[in-house]
């Protein structure tokens, strides 16, 4: 097993080719296909045990983001805020930040506070790192929470940048140092899963366990954002990655980082790799057969364990179901939109099952999406007739997506809830995936990853197609 | 003239004995918030309101921008452009159930999506270009341009850009000064009112009846404005403008032709009503369209107003109103009775945006035989809360600008059966296994008017009477000893 070769091939980005999207000429953004940067950070912080997500800025942003996140997860999502007012905007938000941190510690019992900035505090130039140092000094006689901060101005980037930025900040600030002071070597594997659903996180953990490793997943909001009914309200919901586990990351066997489109230098995985030499495996989101195979191959190369039988059976059943169902979806044209990495994974999944992803669009910019999609889809895409190969757009909003899709006569939309208007207008099905799911139930339990996730997606997709067929037909066949 | 209709003088009900003990330990209340919480019967009434939210607390409050956006959102043929980074616009895209009988431009989300360079060099050019792009594309009757926090900082001259765009495109382009950090929702309401005021008085009013009103502070959620409009029409009254329910720019322009303004909701449009009283001499009535008494008394107050001011034209209006109310109640009451049988004695918590709605809800619950044991709002005034306290039973908790910790502690302490609030409160209630009824701007079920009371009863009943509560930990642990005995 040449581990290094695998690592190298996994880490090195596909040959950079400029995205073919030159930007539509629109100045205004109409119906955005992205969210603001700090939202991603507050979600990531939510996956740390005992943590409170904290926004340094005015109150409105926190309230809006909470509402948006709650509508998807249907779980409490507290986001504390330094609630800056007009005076603070002029004289700086330091005093409010410190007061807010104290309150979050004393009233919530926060063990960790993840501070993300907002456009307001970025613009007035508050130096949060310095403020936190001052705070630690000022209150050093108190038992202080771990303070982690990330810079998240929305005027550059999207919620995905906020998410990945927060994960990296957690690793950099809670697992600092270099080889000399690394945690004792342990048998665990770090897993940076990206912004996936609680159900996905649970499944990933199960997969790792199948290979005999207990993953250290960061962030792990599989419990905090999908918790059981409780007798006693918990200020901070149970679950999440513990600080001790984050520290132990420096002694882990390897890191697996999911997401082809994350920047190649500046991530939690590269940080551990550079500082502690932790081998890094960068893979796409395991969606569909080949991307999931790649994860399993990687796990095998790390652990030396063969894919467990029950997971192999899942793969086999999935392929069997493709045989049974392929005709229902074969040749359909789909429009895929949403976060860059989800787009890549979905495109790969769709191309594999014979659906043509004719348009793939994300609100993010400079993600090199074309190259990543090519790499993820490989031969499946190359063998497609040229006129059906995807048009790939970055920096798109729903105005762009709808305008462009109109010319392509799609049969199907694949993405989060916000494509609902278009789907309704064109009377075509929308396969709801990712975040946010605001108009259906159970978004937090949607499974996308692994063979099992592919199976769930395929079943839902086929049923959407059948349902439409049945509803549109005069006869209403009872067998389809 | 009649600023406070008799409809809303809180009747001081005889308070039933309440045995709920006040726990000694109230640790979840932040020291600095103690004077924003009051327990009825617990010492003299004193509450500090309209404070800035406390840093580090998870407030349910929103920002100035949010306040403006809520009020102006239902104006369906206007372009609503949010000048700022993407979040502020993204989070307010089509989130409300405000219906329109015609255009639906309000359901789209427009943003200048400011980028780093704009923040450094100013966003005025981008804003002007965005308007030049969007106005011809959608041909709105007017455009509202909202400023957000950043715009307040980088110093864009919103007014100048809007004025120039207005000249170029020949429609009103109205700046809404709603920088988020410059206060809370209430300042946002005021900014929205100021923006609307620039439209009012610019339209033709010759053909408007002397028996006419504007319906203000109602947003046509799930078609509620239409319910009220129907009642008023049946009484012989013309509705000039929904402000802003099913709102139109042209209606706003001629709204000063109405003889009377009907203002619902404690804060959102009252400022505009006051401006219209000052500038055009239009009186206003404060009304509430929620709950049986409040709807009936609001309608009566309107009829009485017109019989008094237009004795000839409005002759018989009170009579007609009485008939209408009788008709409606004849269908409603028997149905309510059914629900009441099940709901009698159950306990409710109310936490809503405006305190006026809280009043109406307290009364509405009484018709269901239920008792409100916790009541609060995000934006009430001290007077509002004093009056609220007066109509609630001893032991009732009255709270201003609550946070999840407090709310959850209160819910548990009072062992409530249903919580009425907005989307942000729902998970707290659900996590503790408490029923829930959505009563905010996102609701999709009409809760106003007499039919709204019926819908409300259905909602409450559907939640409270569900068999699932026996399985939630809270009730499971209550039930277990009995089963074992
Ligand atoms: S100001 Fe920035 S951080 Fe706040 S909601 Fe708007 S985009 Fe998001
Ligand atoms: S507080 Fe400011 S930045 Fe945040 S949502 Fe409100 S206007 Fe936007």
């Amino acid at each position: 097993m040449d581990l290094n070769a695998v690592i190298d091939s996994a880490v090195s980005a596909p040959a950079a080719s400029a995205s073919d999207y030159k930007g539509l000429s629109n100045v205004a953004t109409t119906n955005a296909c992205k969210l603001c940067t700090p939202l991603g950070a507050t979600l990531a912080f939510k996956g740390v045990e005992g943590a409170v997500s904290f926004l340094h800025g005015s109150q409105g942003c926190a309230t809006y983001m909470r509402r948006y996140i709650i509508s998807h997860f249907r779980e409490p999502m507290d986001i504390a805020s330094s609630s800056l007012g007009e005076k603070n905007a002029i004289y700086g938000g330091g005093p409010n930040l410190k007061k807010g941190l104290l309150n979050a510690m004393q009233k919530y019992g926060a063990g960790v506070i993840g501070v993300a900035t907002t456009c307001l505090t970025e613009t007035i130039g508050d130096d949060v790192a310095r403020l936190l140092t001052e705070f630690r000094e000022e209150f050093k006689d108190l038992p202080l929470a771990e303070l982690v901060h990330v810079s998240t101005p929305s005027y550059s980037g999207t919620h995905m940048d906020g998410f990945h930025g927060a994960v990296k900040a957690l690793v950099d600030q809670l697992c600092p140092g270099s080889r000399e002071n690394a945690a004792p070597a342990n048998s665990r594997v770090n897993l940076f899963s990206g912004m996936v659903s609680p159900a996905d996180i649970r499944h990933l953990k199960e997969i790792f366990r199948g290979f005999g490793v207990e993953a250290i997943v960061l962030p792990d909001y599989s419990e905090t954002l999908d918790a059981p009914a409780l007798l006693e309200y918990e200020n901070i919901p149970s679950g999440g990655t513990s600080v001790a586990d984050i520290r132990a990351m420096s002694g882990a066997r390897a890191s697996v980082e999911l997401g082809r489109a994350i920047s190649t230098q500046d991530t939690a995985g590269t940080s551990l790799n550079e500082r502690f030499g932790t081998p890094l495996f960068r893979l796409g989101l395991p969606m569909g057969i080949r991307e999931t195979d790649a994860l399993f191959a990687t796990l095998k190369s790390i652990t030396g364990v063969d894919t467990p039988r029950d997971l192999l059976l899942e793969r086999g059943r999935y392929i069997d179901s493709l045989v049974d169902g392929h005709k229902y979806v074969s040749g359909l044209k789909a429009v895929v939109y949403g976060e860059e990495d989800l787009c890549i994974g979905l495109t790969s999944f769709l191309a594999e099952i014979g659906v043509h992803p004719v348009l793939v669009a994300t609100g993010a910019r400079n993600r090199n999406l074309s190259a990543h999609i090519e790499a993820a889809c490989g031969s499946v895409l190359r063998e497609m007739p040229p006129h059906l190969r995807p048009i790939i757009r970055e920096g798109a909003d729903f105005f762009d997506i709808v305008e462009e899709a109109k010319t392509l006569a799609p049969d199907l939309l694949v993405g989060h809830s916000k494509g609902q208007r278009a789907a309704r207008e064109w009377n075509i099905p929308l396969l709801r995936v990712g975040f946010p799911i605001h108009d259906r139930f159970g978004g937090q339990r949607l499974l996308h990853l692994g063979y099992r996730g592919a199976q769930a997606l395929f079943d839902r997709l086929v049923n959407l197609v059948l349902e439409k067929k049945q509803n549109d037909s005069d006869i209403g066949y009872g067998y389809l | 003239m009649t600023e406070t209709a008799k409809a809303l003088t809180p009747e001081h009900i005889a308070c039933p004995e309440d045995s709920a003990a006040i726990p000694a330990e109230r640790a979840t209340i932040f020291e600095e918030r103690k004077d924003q919480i009051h327990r009825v019967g617990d010492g003299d009434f004193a509450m500090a309101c309209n404070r800035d939210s406390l840093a580090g607390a998870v407030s349910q409050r929103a920002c100035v921008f949010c306040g403006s956006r809520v009020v102006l959102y239902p104006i369906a043929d206007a372009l609503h452009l949010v000048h700022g980074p993407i979040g502020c616009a993204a989070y307010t895209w089509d989130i409300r159930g405000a219906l329109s009988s015609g255009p639906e431009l309000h359901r789209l989300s427009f943003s200048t999506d400011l980028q780093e360079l704009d923040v450094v060099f100013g966003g005025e050019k981008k804003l002007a270009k965005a308007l030049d792009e969007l106005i011809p594309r959608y041909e709105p009757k007017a455009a509202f341009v909202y400023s957000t926090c950043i715009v307040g900082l980088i110093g864009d001259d919103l007014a100048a850009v809007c004025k120039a765009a207005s000249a170029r495109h020949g429609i009103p382009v109205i700046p809404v000064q709603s920088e988020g950090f410059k206060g809370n929702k209430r300042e946002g309401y005021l900014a929205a009112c100021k923006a609307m005021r620039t439209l009012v008085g610019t339209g033709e009013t010759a053909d408007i009846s002397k028996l006419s009103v504007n319906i203000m502070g109602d947003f046509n959620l799930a078609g509620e404005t239409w319910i009220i409009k129907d009642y008023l029409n049946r009484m012989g009254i013309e509705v000039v403008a929904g402000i802003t329910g099913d709102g139109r720019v042209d209606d706003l322009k001629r709204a000063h032709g109405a003889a009377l303004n009907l203002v619902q909701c404690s804060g959102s449009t009252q400022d505009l009503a006051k401006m219209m009283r000052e500038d055009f001499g239009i009186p206003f009535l404060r009304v509430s369209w929620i709950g049986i008494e409040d709807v009936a008394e609001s309608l009566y107050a309107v009829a009485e107003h017109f019989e008094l001011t237009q004795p000839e034209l409005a002759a018989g209006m009170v009579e007609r109103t009485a008939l209408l109310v009788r008709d409606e109640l004849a269908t409603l009451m028997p149905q309510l009775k059914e629900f009441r049988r099940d709901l009698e004695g159950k306990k409710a918590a109310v936490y809503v945006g405006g305190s006026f709605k809280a009043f109406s809800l307290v009364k509405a619950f009484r018709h269901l035989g239920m008792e409100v044991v916790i009541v609060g709002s995000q934006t009430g005034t001290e007077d509002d809360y004093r009056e609220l306290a007066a109509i609630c039973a001893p032991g009732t908790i009255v709270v201003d600008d609550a946070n999840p910790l407090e709310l959850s502690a209160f819910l548990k302490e009072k062992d409530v059966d249903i919580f009425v609030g907005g989307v942000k409160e729902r998970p707290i209630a659900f996590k503790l296994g408490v029923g829930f009824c959505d009563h905010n701007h996102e609701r999709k079920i009409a809760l106003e008017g007499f039919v709204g009371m019926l819908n409300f009863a259905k909602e409450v009943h559907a939640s409270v009477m569900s068999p699932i509560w026996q399985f939630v930990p809270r009730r499971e642990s209550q039930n277990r000893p009995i089963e074992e005995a």
Side-chain angles (χ1 to χ4, degrees):
Chain A
M1 171 186 71
D2 184 357
L3 198 61
N4 285 320
V6 181
I7 300 164
D8 287 342
S9 73
V11 177
S12 64
S17 84
S19 152
D20 52 16
Y21 180 56
K22 296 286 176 284
L24 297 176
S25 55
N26 296 319
V27 180
T29 295
T30 303
N31 300 340
C33 186
K34 61 178 178 182
L35 297 164
C36 74
T37 323
L39 179 133
T42 63
L43 262 184
F45 288 139
K46 193 74 183 171
V48 176
E49 190 178 57
V52 166
S53 303
F54 190 110
L55 280 188
H56 184 36
S58 40
Q59 180 63 51
C61 314
T63 300
Y64 271 136
M65 286 176 222
R66 287 183 61 212
R67 192 201 61 79
Y68 205 86
I69 294 170
I70 286 172
S71 302
H72 173 88
F73 290 97
R74 299 175 195 250
E75 288 286 328
M77 172 72 192
D78 290 355
I79 301 175
S81 159
S82 48
S83 280
L84 301 189
E86 202 159 2
K87 270 185 248 132
N88 314 109
I90 299 165
Y91 301 112
N96 266 47
L97 174 62
K98 292 174 187 172
K99 209 167 144 204
L101 291 174
L102 276 181
N103 270 326
M105 274 161 41
Q106 290 169 347
K107 289 299 159 187
Y108 272 80
V112 179
I113 303 176
V115 182
T117 53
T118 60
C119 303
L120 176 69
T121 45
E122 286 289 333
T123 309
I124 62 177
D126 269 3
D127 181 350
V128 175
R130 184 179 54 77
L131 290 169
L132 293 187
T133 310
E134 280 174 26
F135 178 83
R136 288 191 192 98
E137 185 55 36
E138 235 170 276
F139 297 100
K140 58 174 179 268
D141 49 325
L142 292 176
L144 289 186
E146 296 285 353
L147 306 174
V148 177
H149 65 94
V150 60
S151 163
T152 45
S154 278
Y155 43 76
S156 53
T158 71
H159 59 297
M160 290 311 288
D161 298 289
F163 189 94
H164 296 309
V167 175
K168 176 163 192 292
L170 283 165
V171 167
D172 282 347
Q173 294 165 45
L174 295 182
C175 185
S178 56
R179 274 173 212 268
E180 300 82 65
N181 50 12
N186 57 63
S187 62
R188 302 181 70 180
V189 172
N190 306 321
L191 172 60
F192 304 107
S193 57
M195 202 175 126
V196 297
S197 78
D200 287 327
I201 296 178
R202 286 192 288 267
H203 185 44
L204 286 171
K205 289 203 267 191
E206 186 189 340
I207 290 173
F208 275 60
R209 251 176 251 135
F211 283 88
V213 249
E214 200 56 43
I216 305 178
V217 188
L218 187 70
D220 181 359
Y221 42 76
S222 63
E223 246 185 278
T224 55
L225 283 175
D226 197 10
L230 295 175
L231 182 58
E232 300 283 334
Y233 189 81
E234 297 174 326
N235 300 340
I236 300 174
S238 309
T241 320
S242 68
V243 172
D245 274 358
I246 297 176
R247 294 237 156 88
M249 283 184 152
S250 58
R253 261 199 268 185
S255 302
V256 173
E257 196 158 52
L258 302 180
R260 289 172 176 269
I262 341 174
S263 107
T264 39
Q265 282 97 42
D266 227 14
T267 67
T270 51
S271 169
L272 288 174
N273 178 267
E274 278 157 21
R275 292 185 291 123
F276 303 102
T278 318
L280 171 64
F281 297 83
R282 171 78 59 75
L283 302 165
L285 284 176
M287 301 187 72
I289 301 170
R290 285 152 322 112
E291 292 283 82
T292 306
D293 285 349
L295 172 66
F296 281 45
T298 305
L299 287 176
K300 183 178 173 181
S301 75
I302 296 173
T303 62
V305 174
D306 283 326
T307 303
R309 183 177 139 77
D310 50 347
L311 290 173
L312 277 180
L313 278 175
E314 284 188 5
R315 186 180 194 278
R317 276 188 219 108
Y318 175 55
I319 291 172
D320 186 60
S321 78
L322 294 185
V323 175
D324 296 340
H326 69 281
K327 264 200 241 163
Y328 298 119
V329 299
S330 181
L332 295 182
K333 287 184 283 180
V335 170
V336 181
Y337 58 85
E339 290 134 13
E340 53 273 28
D341 274 307
L342 190 61
C343 276
I344 297 168
L346 286 167
T347 305
S348 174
F349 158 78
L350 291 169
E352 269 176 11
I353 61 173
V355 173
H356 302 303
V358 286
L359 172 63
V360 183
T362 181
R365 288 170 204 276
N366 307 322
R367 296 282 106 178
N368 219 356
L369 200 59
S370 295
H372 292 307
I373 285 180
E374 201 138 303
C377 297
S379 59
V380 189
L381 203 65
R382 281 193 295 276
E383 281 154 22
M384 258 184 210
H387 69 284
L388 288 172
R389 275 186 215 150
I391 299 169
I392 292 162
R393 296 290 185 224
E394 297 188 18
D397 60 17
F398 275 96
F399 179 81
D400 303 332
I401 296 172
V402 167
E403 288 303 303
E404 189 139 32
K406 268 185 201 161
T407 65
L408 301 166
D411 304 293
L412 179 70
L413 290 179
V414 184
H416 53 69
S417 278
K418 303 301 167 187
Q420 179 265 343
R421 277 179 84 93
R424 185 183 159 107
E425 197 184 314
W426 301 333
N427 187 28
I428 59 175
L430 165 59
L431 178 64
R432 287 172 175 78
V433 293
F435 173 91
I437 305 295
H438 282 167
D439 62 344
R440 283 294 182 277
F441 190 65
Q444 72 276 51
R445 290 182 294 274
L446 283 184
L447 188 64
H448 312 78
L449 305 187
Y451 305 124
R452 201 186 296 169
Q455 184 75 71
L457 288 177
F458 185 65
D459 288 345
R460 288 173 59 219
L461 174 56
V462 169
N463 284 331
L464 279 176
V465 172
L466 291 181
E467 189 180 328
K468 175 162 166 55
K469 206 171 182 178
Q470 194 167 44
N471 290 344
D472 289 355
S473 117
D474 294 333
I475 307 161
Y477 293 104
Y479 281 95
L480 283 166
Chain B
M1 41 168 301
T2 39
E3 179 168 336
T4 309
K6 86 166 197 286
L8 291 170
T9 323
E11 21 163 343
H12 292 252
I13 50 148
C15 299
E17 276 314 304
D18 187 88
S19 56
I22 295 161
E25 204 228 337
R26 291 176 198 159
T28 40
I29 295 165
F30 290 6
E31 202 50 42
E32 298 161 54
R33 285 197 23 83
K34 275 199 171 146
D35 55 359
Q36 277 166 284
I37 296 159
H38 174 74
R39 282 164 195 263
V40 177
D42 190 3
D44 287 344
F45 184 90
M47 270 178 84
C49 304
N50 202 14
R51 277 206 183 161
D52 290 337
S53 295
L54 171 64
V58 178
S59 171
Q60 312 286 79
R61 252 181 202 167
C63 60
V64 182
F65 164 70
C66 176
S68 297
R69 191 84 174 91
V70 172
V71 174
L72 299 176
Y73 175 83
I75 304 174
D77 56 355
L79 180 88
H80 300 268
L81 174 60
V82 183
H83 186 34
I86 197 63
C88 322
Y91 302 132
T92 52
W93 174 17
D94 199 21
I95 58 170
R96 295 171 199 281
L99 301 188
S100 162
S101 53
E104 292 204 314
L105 193 48
H106 66 302
R107 294 186 60 193
L108 304 185
S109 156
F110 301 106
S111 168
T112 47
D113 191 1
L114 293 181
Q115 300 295 306
E116 196 142 15
L117 283 183
D118 307 316
V119 174
V120 177
F121 297 109
E124 290 179 11
K125 269 204 199 107
K126 193 170 192 187
L127 173 59
K129 273 197 206 149
L131 286 165
D132 290 347
E133 175 180 286
L134 294 172
I135 292 174
R137 189 195 291 165
Y138 295 101
E139 299 180 340
K141 287 277 163 50
F144 292 101
V145 178
Y146 302 79
S147 81
T148 57
C149 287
I150 285 217
V151 173
L153 293 175
I154 60 180
D156 280 0
D157 187 346
L158 215 58
V161 177
C162 289
K163 200 169 161 206
S166 183
R168 280 198 304 281
H169 298 284
I171 59 163
V173 179
I174 305 159
V176 186
Q177 301 294 349
S178 54
E179 294 87 348
F181 60 83
K182 293 193 171 160
N184 61 29
K185 242 177 168 173
R186 215 184 289 161
E187 279 83 24
Y189 296 155
L190 180 60
C193 286
K194 284 185 182 157
M196 287 190 285
R197 175 63 191 83
T198 64
L199 289 172
V200 175
T202 60
E204 190 49 59
T205 59
D207 56 341
I208 295 175
S209 158
K210 289 200 170 66
L211 304 179
S212 58
V213 298
N214 297 313
I215 300 177
M216 302 179 71
D218 181 278
F219 305 107
N220 202 30
L221 307 174
E224 288 171 338
T225 306
W226 297 328
I227 297 172
I228 306 309
K229 192 173 171 184
D230 170 62
Y231 296 155
L232 293 167
N233 288 346
R234 279 154 71 189
M235 289 159 59
I237 293 166
E238 176 185 347
V239 175
V240 181
I243 301 176
T244 53
D246 198 10
R248 296 291 182 281
V249 172
D250 284 344
D251 293 349
L252 274 167
K253 285 182 173 174
R254 60 203 284 274
H256 61 296
L260 177 67
N261 279 330
L262 306 180
V263 185
Q264 173 174 258
C265 176
S266 36
S268 61
T269 51
Q270 189 164 301
D271 293 312
L272 180 61
K274 283 186 181 154
M275 293 175 209
M276 288 173 74
R277 184 175 58 186
E278 237 141 75
D279 302 345
F280 304 100
I282 304 172
F284 68 88
L285 276 179
R286 282 177 84 176
V287 294
S288 166
W289 305 120
I290 288 169
I292 300 175
E293 295 94 337
D294 285 359
V295 178
E297 288 178 27
S298 296
L299 295 177
Y300 282 131
V302 176
E304 279 164 14
H305 170 88
F306 281 118
E307 281 202 0
L308 215 74
T309 52
Q310 301 283 347
E312 267 160 46
L313 277 175
M317 191 182 276
V318 173
E319 182 103 18
R320 277 201 297 281
T321 308
L323 271 177
L324 181 154
V325 171
R326 200 175 313 144
D327 269 7
E328 294 285 332
L329 291 187
T331 15
L332 172 66
M333 292 320 268
Q335 302 185 64
L336 271 193
K337 223 178 183 171
E338 300 282 303
F339 293 115
R340 183 178 177 131
R341 212 177 25 230
D342 292 336
L343 295 173
E344 195 82 55
K346 305 274 185 193
K347 286 182 278 185
V350 170
Y351 185 79
V352 286
S355 55
F356 247 65
K357 196 193 283 173
F359 274 104
S360 299
L361 285 169
V362 170
K363 291 191 229 164
F365 271 118
R366 242 183 265 152
H367 281 284
L368 302 177
M370 295 175 66
E371 192 192 332
V372 174
V373 291
I374 302 164
V375 59
S377 80
Q378 285 172 44
T379 54
T381 65
E382 184 169 0
D383 280 347
D384 293 340
Y385 291 119
R386 191 189 309 280
E387 289 180 25
L388 257 182
I391 66 165
C392 290
T396 302
I397 296 168
V398 184
V399 57
D400 175 54
D401 186 27
N403 57 57
L405 273 184
E406 287 167 1
L407 286 176
S408 68
F410 295 153
L411 286 181
K412 233 175 59 197
E413 175 194 329
K414 293 291 185 184
D415 192 26
V416 304
D417 295 287
I418 191 161
F419 187 121
V420 185
V423 67
K424 294 189 296 290
E425 290 79 33
R426 186 171 56 196
I428 303 169
F430 280 174
K431 191 75 350 197
L432 293 172
V434 177
F436 188 82
C437 171
D438 217 324
H439 214 299
N440 248 330
H441 290 284
E442 286 155 50
R443 66 176 180 262
K444 307 291 182 295
I445 295 165
L447 297 175
E448 291 188 358
F450 300 107
V451 62
M453 181 68 205
L454 183 62
N455 291 340
F456 179 64
K458 275 186 200 158
E459 277 274 292
V460 171
H461 188 270
S463 187
V464 171
M465 299 314 293
S466 166
I468 61 146
W469 305 120
Q470 64 184 308
F471 304 112
V472 303
R474 177 171 74 112
R475 291 282 159 78
E476 244 181 352
S477 62
Q478 280 173 12
N479 294 339
R480 206 167 289 135
I482 303 167
E483 279 164 20
E484 281 164 7

